[in-house]
């Protein structure tokens, strides 16, 4: 199985994934970085040139390829599962092409569900790198995040584990073991 970190942009999926990788020894893939490497161009360029639906099609394919790239031989027993890697998904990954159901079938899904104000604060300095919010005015960002999370909650809420506050990596490992 694979650990899939899901949640809105800015929720810390990449950061927590790297820490979890260091703690467990499991390999880590940031799906957006993986896609950029496979495509030879940045996510913003893919969005701007080919559009969001092209990106979502590509993302669904690359999610499965990235997950399959982990070696079965390096899987580690954690809790009741043999885990072979960690994937930090994009914020919209669970919402397209039945990706959430696929992730639940092939791993353990963890929703990093941070407060909207925390997300907005984190995202203000990263707007240029985030195609979905690049053009949104600062005063409109909170409402945009709130609406987008409400739209995505149907998918996010299917996660095996929901994290609603900052947790240390050891606590996260414990939650995975208990799942």
């Amino acid at each position: 199985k694979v650990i899939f970190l899901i949640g809105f942009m800015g929720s810390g999926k990449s950061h927590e994934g790297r820490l979890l990788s260091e703690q467990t020894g499991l390999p880590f893939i940031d799906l957006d970085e993986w896609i950029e490497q496979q495509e030879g161009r940045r996510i913003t360029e893919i969005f701007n040139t080919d559009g969001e639906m092209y990106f979502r099609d590509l993302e669904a394919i690359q999610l499965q390829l990235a997950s399959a790239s982990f070696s079965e031989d390096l899987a580690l027993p954690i809790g009741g599962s043999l885990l072979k890697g960690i994937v930090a998904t994009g914020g919209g990954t669970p919402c397209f092409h039945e990706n959430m159901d696929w992730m639940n079938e092939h791993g353990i899904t963890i929703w990093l569900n941070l407060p909207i104000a925390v997300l907005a604060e984190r995202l203000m300095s990263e707007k240029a790198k985030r195609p979905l919010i690049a053009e949104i005015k600062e005063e409109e960002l909170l409402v945009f995040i709130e609406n987008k999370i409400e739209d995505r909650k149907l998918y996010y809420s299917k996660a095996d584990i929901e994290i609603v506050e900052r947790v240390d990596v050891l606590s996260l490992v414990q939650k995975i073991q208990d799942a």
Side-chain angles (χ1 to χ4, degrees):
K1 289 187 169 187
V2 174
I3 297 170
F4 295 100
L5 300 176
I6 68 166
F8 199 73
M9 65 180 107
S11 63
K13 299 176 300 285
S14 297
H15 176 77
E16 295 300 327
R18 286 183 179 89
L19 291 176
L20 192 56
S21 175
E22 290 172 14
Q23 183 67 36
T24 62
L26 292 169
F28 169 74
I29 293 175
D30 178 297
L31 186 59
D32 285 345
E33 291 174 6
W34 170 274
I35 292 169
E36 289 178 346
Q37 289 171 353
Q38 303 306 309
E39 287 290 295
R41 55 190 178 144
R42 309 275 304 155
I43 299 293
T44 52
E45 183 182 346
I46 297 169
F47 258 76
N48 293 337
T49 304
D50 300 309
E52 182 178 4
M53 287 321 301
Y54 172 85
F55 173 76
R56 296 304 178 186
D57 293 344
L58 176 65
E59 180 182 52
I61 293 165
Q62 293 299 335
L63 171 66
Q64 293 184 24
L65 292 174
S67 300
S69 74
F70 296 122
S71 171
E72 298 283 341
D73 298 336
L74 301 177
L76 298 172
I78 298 178
S81 301
L82 269 178
L83 298 175
K84 59 183 185 172
I86 303 161
V87 174
T89 67
T93 305
C95 309
F96 295 89
H97 301 296
E98 298 180 8
N99 290 336
M100 190 66 199
D101 293 334
W102 186 88
M103 289 185 287
N104 279 332
E105 289 172 22
H106 293 88
I108 297 170
T109 51
I110 301 172
W111 175 18
L112 302 180
N113 183 13
L114 297 183
I116 293 168
V118 172
L119 295 172
E121 183 181 323
R122 288 181 178 182
L123 291 170
M124 278 311 302
S125 62
E126 301 178 5
K127 282 179 56 176
K129 298 187 299 184
R130 310 261 187 187
L132 287 179
I133 62 167
E135 304 300 320
I136 295 177
K137 296 180 175 111
E138 184 175 340
E139 61 273 9
E140 298 168 355
L141 188 59
L142 276 171
V143 172
F144 174 83
I145 293 169
E146 186 173 13
N147 290 337
K148 201 58 120 166
I149 289 175
E150 189 60 37
D151 291 345
R152 293 177 175 182
K153 193 176 283 186
L154 171 70
Y155 305 98
Y156 290 167
S157 65
K158 293 180 180 181
D160 297 311
I161 300 169
E162 180 181 2
I163 305 295
V164 294
E165 73 281 340
R166 180 119 171 97
V167 296
D168 61 85
V169 177
L170 291 175
S171 297
L172 189 52
V173 170
Q174 186 62 52
K175 288 181 183 285
I176 293 166
Q177 289 174 336
D178 295 342

